[in-house]
């Protein structure tokens, strides 16, 4: 059977229950999560992928060391499992071209393009906001690089936000 609240209170979470995968040690720890909000905007040249900005917002947090300020736009997954990414980009007003959020995952070998997470035509007369959510299986130490792209023919500024959470080991989720 499963583990009940009474089991947890009584300290009765035993090896057989863990082996049965009814609950794992990951479920009992503080969840691995980060919310990375960049208050400052970053300039993006037309036709160029630019890394997401470093988190500077007052609501930013990181419980698992996903983010290293030395490598903006990159998160590192601390353990094997399934992760949820929530990504948003807010491009300055310009009616020409399209806007895009791109993801690349690196393994012990070469980088693998996960592809565009979101693409949108430019909004006429207003800022263009794009975003998306992705579930991704990653290994311990994998890097996920997030970048933005635009092809307006000029420079645009963009503000970004990123959320990532560990959902569980591959066999559970």
């Amino acid at each position: 059977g499963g583990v009940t609240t009474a089991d947890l209170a009584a300290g009765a979470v035993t090896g057989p229950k863990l082996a049965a995968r009814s609950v794992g040690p990951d479920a009992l720890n503080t969840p691995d999560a980060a919310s990375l909000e960049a208050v400052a905007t970053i300039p993006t040249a037309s036709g160029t992928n630019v890394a997401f900005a470093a988190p500077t917002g007052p609501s930013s947090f990181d419980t698992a060391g996903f983010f290293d300020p030395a490598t903006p736009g990159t998160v590192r997954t601390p353990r094997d499992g399934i992760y949820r990414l929530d990504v948003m980009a807010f491009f300055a007003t310009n009616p020409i071209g399209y806007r895009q959020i791109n993801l690349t995952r690196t393994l012990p070998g070469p980088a693998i393009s996960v592809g565009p997470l979101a693409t949108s035509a430019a909004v006429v007369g207003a800022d263009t906001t794009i975003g998306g959510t992705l579930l991704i299986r990653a290994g311990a130490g994998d890097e996920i690089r997030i970048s933005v792209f635009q092809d307006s023919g000029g420079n645009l500024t963009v503000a970004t936000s990123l959320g990532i959470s560990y959902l569980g080991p591959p066999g559970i989720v």
Side-chain angles (χ1 to χ4, degrees):
V3 176
T4 65
T5 303
D7 290 336
L8 291 173
V13 179
T14 61
K17 289 188 178 183
L18 292 174
R21 293 185 155 211
S22 50
V23 69
D26 294 331
L28 305 175
N29 295 328
T30 301
D32 293 345
S35 177
L36 309 173
E37 172 192 16
V39 173
T41 59
I42 53 174
T44 60
S46 184
T48 305
N49 272 307
V50 176
F52 256 49
T56 55
S59 62
S60 294
F61 67 88
D62 187 352
T63 65
F66 285 108
F67 184 78
D68 176 358
T71 55
T74 301
V75 291
R76 284 178 191 80
T77 53
R79 54 183 151 170
D80 294 351
I82 307 297
Y83 291 85
R84 176 185 165 143
L85 286 165
D86 297 292
V87 184
M88 296 288 294
F90 311 90
F91 290 86
T93 302
N94 182 304
I96 300 169
Y98 70 96
R99 315 294 179 256
Q100 192 169 60
I101 298 172
N102 296 303
L103 299 176
T104 304
R105 190 178 88 202
T106 61
L107 302 168
I112 298 170
S113 175
V114 176
L117 176 63
T119 302
S120 175
V123 175
V124 176
D127 291 353
T128 302
T129 301
I130 61 173
T133 297
L134 175 73
L135 297 180
I136 188 168
R137 183 178 181 160
D142 282 1
E143 292 184 347
I144 302 166
R145 295 191 178 124
I146 304 104
S147 62
V148 292
F149 178 89
Q150 60 90 9
D151 72 342
S152 69
N155 292 330
L156 294 180
T157 57
V158 63
T160 58
S161 70
L162 164 70
I164 183 168
S165 359
Y166 174 76
L167 299 179
I172 299 284
V173 177

